[in-house]
Amino acid sequence: MTNKYMYFIANWKMFGGLNSLNSLHKVNKFLKTSKKKSTKIIYCPPSTLIRPMSKKLKKSSIEVGAQNCHEHETYGAFTGSINSLMLKNVGAKYVIIGHSENRQAGETDKLINLKIKSALKSGLKVIFCIGETFKQKRKRRTKQVLNKQIKLGLNKINNYKKILIAYEPVWSIGTGLIPKSNELFQTINSIKKIKRNFKVLYGGSVNPKNINELKSINNIDGFLIGGASQDPNKFIDIIKKTYN
Ligand code: PEP
């Protein structure tokens, strides 16, 4: 890997209780002994775990993020929702926005744009997910789809330093499938061409077995890891192999 900083973002999705926090000890210990000072680890647990996780990681360089937020910038009558201010208040530094699981549940580009604006206003950094479906890929519309998601999602936003783009092909999430290396390189390049200082991560079925292939793609700034991040041994293995 040639990049200055490598991000390893753990998306725990709707998994984990208080006892899952015990697994952080291993990862924290590994990070302390690692010589790679440029490794950035961010854990995005369910909202219920943000506060206890932040407390647990108080002295660690591992940071904590959320998996989504409501678009409303202040408090309001939105039963069951959590806004970016609240996430910041309990220790989140980042928030994932635009994950395909939420897009599939009806989240539009316009809503994503409002959420990103609200998160930035609250002082959170944003992990902005984009990705094409298998049907769109088959029709060779990947570039067009991603450009549109970026254009609409980042409409009237220019604070790019606070935004990490996570390219996550929908067909790759949780399926064990990953894009061909040359295709992934080209897609990441075309995203970076939109704005040269975009940091672009890859997400979708990253695991200890395919990381050797993925790490050889040298324009990737890190990985967003779902399933494999719930097992500290697999997560550490992915990080170790990225550098070896
Ligand atoms: C994700 O949900 O962001 C993700 C990348 O999941 P997985 O690694 O399990 O495919």
Side-chain angles (χ1 to χ4, degrees):
M1 304 286 344
T2 54
N3 305 21
K4 198 166 168 232
Y5 279 100
M6 280 303 283
Y7 289 84
F8 297 89
I9 304 183
N11 175 14
W12 275 9
K13 311 192 187 216
M14 200 172 71
F15 292 97
L18 287 172
N19 57 351
S20 319
L21 300 179
N22 298 333
S23 68
L24 296 173
H25 175 69
K26 252 188 180 171
V27 180
N28 204 14
K29 199 170 152 204
F30 159 74
L31 188 62
K32 272 189 191 156
T33 54
S34 158
K35 292 193 179 77
K36 295 284 174 193
K37 299 294 167 226
S38 53
T39 306
K40 250 210 157 317
I41 299 180
I42 301 157
Y43 267 92
C44 300
S47 304
T48 48
L49 294 180
I50 292 174
R51 184 65 178 160
M53 190 182 266
S54 306
K55 277 188 168 175
K56 206 156 189 144
L57 294 173
K58 213 170 159 191
K59 291 187 183 147
S60 163
S61 62
I62 300 176
E63 293 185 298
V64 181
Q67 297 175 15
N68 200 357
C69 68
H70 192 274
E71 69 277 15
H72 205 66
E73 286 174 5
T74 53
Y75 301 111
F78 299 98
T79 305
S81 301
I82 301 174
N83 71 10
S84 50
L85 270 179
M86 292 160 154
L87 296 173
K88 175 100 170 121
N89 186 249
V90 290
K93 300 261 171 32
Y94 291 78
V95 58
I96 296 174
I97 296 179
H99 194 281
S100 67
E101 284 154 12
N102 295 325
R103 288 182 188 261
Q104 280 163 340
E107 199 174 61
T108 62
D109 290 307
K110 195 163 178 225
L111 186 59
I112 288 167
N113 178 250
L114 292 175
K115 289 184 177 191
I116 296 178
K117 282 179 181 156
S118 133
L120 293 173
K121 200 169 170 190
S122 301
L124 295 178
K125 291 181 189 153
V126 172
I127 301 152
F128 173 35
C129 298
I130 56 170
E132 83 287 2
T133 62
F134 188 67
K135 198 170 164 192
Q136 290 163 335
K137 176 182 161 56
R138 217 180 40 210
K139 289 188 174 168
R140 300 183 188 279
R141 290 185 53 225
T142 299
K143 197 171 167 183
Q144 194 186 335
V145 169
L146 301 182
N147 283 355
K148 188 172 171 222
Q149 288 175 343
I150 292 174
K151 190 170 169 232
L152 299 179
L154 299 183
N155 186 30
K156 298 202 174 122
I157 293 170
N158 42 32
N159 213 352
Y160 295 135
K161 285 205 174 123
K162 306 270 181 204
I163 297 170
L164 298 168
I165 307 258
Y167 169 54
E168 300 206 301
V170 181
W171 51 271
S172 180
I173 294 178
T175 59
L177 302 171
I178 58 168
K180 289 194 184 105
S181 299
N182 61 334
E183 284 178 4
L184 187 50
F185 178 82
Q186 276 165 20
T187 305
I188 302 271
N189 238 5
S190 78
I191 298 169
K192 289 191 171 187
K193 269 189 192 145
I194 300 174
K195 273 278 161 222
R196 220 181 327 139
N197 47 8
F198 269 157
K199 293 250 176 271
V200 185
L201 321 184
Y202 168 75
S205 294
V206 177
N207 63 43
K209 286 189 185 138
N210 59 27
I211 191 64
N212 284 332
E213 188 180 333
L214 289 166
K215 76 169 186 198
S216 67
I217 305 164
N218 64 15
N219 58 358
I220 295 180
D221 296 294
F223 301 100
L224 177 50
I225 305 157
S229 72
Q230 285 156 37
D231 177 339
N233 296 321
K234 283 189 185 163
F235 195 49
I236 291 170
D237 210 16
I238 290 171
I239 301 172
K240 273 187 185 164
K241 284 181 174 163
T242 299
Y243 295 113
N244 288 337

